[in-house]
Amino acid sequence: MLLNLAKRIFVLLLCGLAVNAVAHRYFFSMTDLTLNERTQSIEVIHQITAHDIDNAIAESKQIHFSIAHPDYENIIRQYIEENFQLYYQGQAIPLNWIGFEVNKGKIFLYQEAAFDHSLIGLKIINSLLTKRYPQQVNTVNYYSTRIKGSLTFNKSVTMHHIKIND
């Protein structure tokens, strides 16, 4: 009887693992872009599923890649800088790397840049994970005292301009 109960529990655990293995059908990232008028800077926070970005980097570089990798932060930083850029009036806005943290399967990446203009007219390029996951959807939420809104990026739309009516 105890063996029978153990078998049932084992089967239920396997079913739970199988559901988790196929349940990850949605691929998305969220980025908050805030204009801090007091410090005259743009603050950027990306939130991405950690294993999605790890798998994308592992595939593109043909390496085993995880947080245990000795050059993890530099490789993540390079990936973000290649796939997320800001431009204003045709000029690239260099984003300074602040750092990252991993929490509950998510990676939070922090950047900032000096910026003393309105967000209106800002060009955003966001192709994070779209090469690895064709169904990837990236949302950028932007905020300032004058304007706020959201932009959606995917495999076919990797660039947007912030407009007054967004």
Side-chain angles (χ1 to χ4, degrees):
M1 175 129 171
L2 189 57
L3 183 61
N4 202 11
L5 180 61
K7 284 181 185 178
R8 286 183 184 186
I9 292 172
F10 180 71
V11 168
L12 288 173
L13 287 173
L14 284 179
C15 289
L17 290 175
V19 167
N20 282 339
V22 296
H24 187 60
R25 292 184 210 152
Y26 303 102
F27 298 90
F28 67 95
S29 76
M30 295 288 279
T31 298
D32 287 334
L33 188 148
T34 305
L35 178 63
N36 185 329
E37 293 169 7
R38 184 180 54 77
T39 62
Q40 294 188 332
S41 64
I42 290 179
E43 299 166 352
V44 180
I45 303 172
H46 306 279
Q47 177 183 336
I48 303 171
T49 303
H51 69 264
D52 288 351
I53 195 167
D54 290 351
N55 291 342
I57 291 171
E59 181 181 279
S60 70
K61 294 197 174 289
Q62 295 295 300
I63 60 173
H64 175 74
F65 190 71
S66 71
I67 194 142
H69 191 282
D71 205 23
Y72 187 81
E73 184 171 5
N74 287 330
I75 293 171
I76 289 280
R77 176 183 180 173
Q78 179 184 13
Y79 181 85
I80 296 297
E81 289 173 351
E82 289 170 0
N83 290 282
F84 185 88
Q85 296 104 32
L86 302 176
Y87 294 85
Y88 188 75
Q89 296 180 342
Q91 298 292 314
I93 300 170
L95 291 165
N96 299 316
W97 182 258
I98 303 302
F100 78 101
E101 60 185 330
V102 178
N103 187 0
K104 296 182 181 176
K106 302 282 185 206
I107 185 166
F108 295 85
L109 308 135
Y110 304 96
Q111 298 175 291
E112 70 177 0
F115 191 75
D116 61 356
H117 306 283
S118 166
L119 292 180
I120 298 167
L122 189 70
K123 176 180 171 182
I124 303 169
I125 296 176
N126 185 339
S127 59
L128 295 169
L129 302 176
T130 57
K131 292 175 187 85
R132 171 70 166 93
Y133 303 107
Q135 62 274 56
Q136 176 75 25
V137 175
N138 299 320
T139 301
V140 174
N141 300 311
Y142 57 89
Y143 312 91
S144 77
T145 57
R146 294 179 52 201
I147 190 170
K148 68 179 178 178
S150 293
L151 300 168
T152 303
F153 301 80
N154 56 43
K155 186 170 182 70
S156 60
V157 178
T158 59
M159 189 266 307
H160 277 292
H161 285 88
I162 295 177
K163 299 175 188 161
I164 200 152
N165 59 349
D166 280 342

